[in-house]
């Protein structure tokens, strides 16, 4: 990941938000969201190599692909929820941020059920 590009975009967006907040707060919120989207795109582009590495680890260890995809889904839900909450906080919508966080926690809990079932099956198989 090109951290310099990421930091540059973030700093430019933050400075633009500060300048616009003094004149027109509505545009500052738009700039904050747009900056966040650009940063997200930069981060997503760098994740493809990580996913390839993780898949090779899964192939070597023999972990069930369903469990691995569930773990990736849980991590993705966590990151996406945190990102959305941050955007809501940027535009001063704290109440919505808290509701998104709750929804993300529930989604993670529901997504983790297959992992819990696999763990219980593994323990039962040892007994």
């Amino acid at each position: 990941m090109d951290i310099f590009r990421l930091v540059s975009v973030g700093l430019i967006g933050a400075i633009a938000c500060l300048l616009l907040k003094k004149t027109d707060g509505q545009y500052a919120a738009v700039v904050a969201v747009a900056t966040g989207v650009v940063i997200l795109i930069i981060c997503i582009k760098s994740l493809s190599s990580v996913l390839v590495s993780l898949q090779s680890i899964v192939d070597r260890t023999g972990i069930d692909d369903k469990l691995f995809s569930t773990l990736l889904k849980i991590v993705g839900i966590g990151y996406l929820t945190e990102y959305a909450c941050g955007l809501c906080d940027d535009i001063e919508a704290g109440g919505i941020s808290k509701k998104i966080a709750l929804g993300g926690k529930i989604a993670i809990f529901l997504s983790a059920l297959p992992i819990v079932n696999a763990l219980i099956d593994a323990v039962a198989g040892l007994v």
Side-chain angles (χ1 to χ4, degrees), residues 4-121:
F4 295 111
R5 185 178 347 158
L6 184 81
V7 170
S8 298
V9 168
L11 288 176
I12 291 169
I15 292 168
C17 284
L18 283 175
L19 294 174
L20 287 173
K21 210 175 250 190
K22 294 178 184 177
T23 58
D24 195 358
Q26 293 174 343
Y27 292 121
V30 172
V31 169
V33 171
T35 302
V37 169
V38 171
I39 289 173
L40 182 64
I41 290 169
I42 292 169
C43 292
I44 288 175
K45 284 183 179 180
S46 65
L47 282 178
S48 62
S49 62
V50 173
L51 291 177
V52 170
S53 297
L54 288 175
Q55 186 60 48
S56 71
I57 291 171
V58 168
D59 292 340
R60 287 185 300 195
T61 59
I63 297 172
D64 187 14
D65 284 339
K66 288 183 181 180
L67 291 177
F68 176 68
S69 64
T70 301
L71 284 174
L72 284 180
K73 183 179 177 182
I74 289 169
V75 170
I77 290 169
Y79 281 137
L80 186 61
T81 301
E82 180 69 24
Y83 178 78
C85 289
L87 282 179
C88 288
D89 290 339
D90 286 346
I91 60 173
E92 299 175 2
I96 295 172
S97 174
K98 290 177 183 176
K99 290 166 183 66
I100 291 172
L102 175 64
K105 290 172 187 174
I106 291 170
I108 288 172
F109 176 72
L110 293 174
S111 297
L113 288 178
I115 295 173
V116 172
N117 285 335
L119 182 62
I120 290 172
D121 291 343

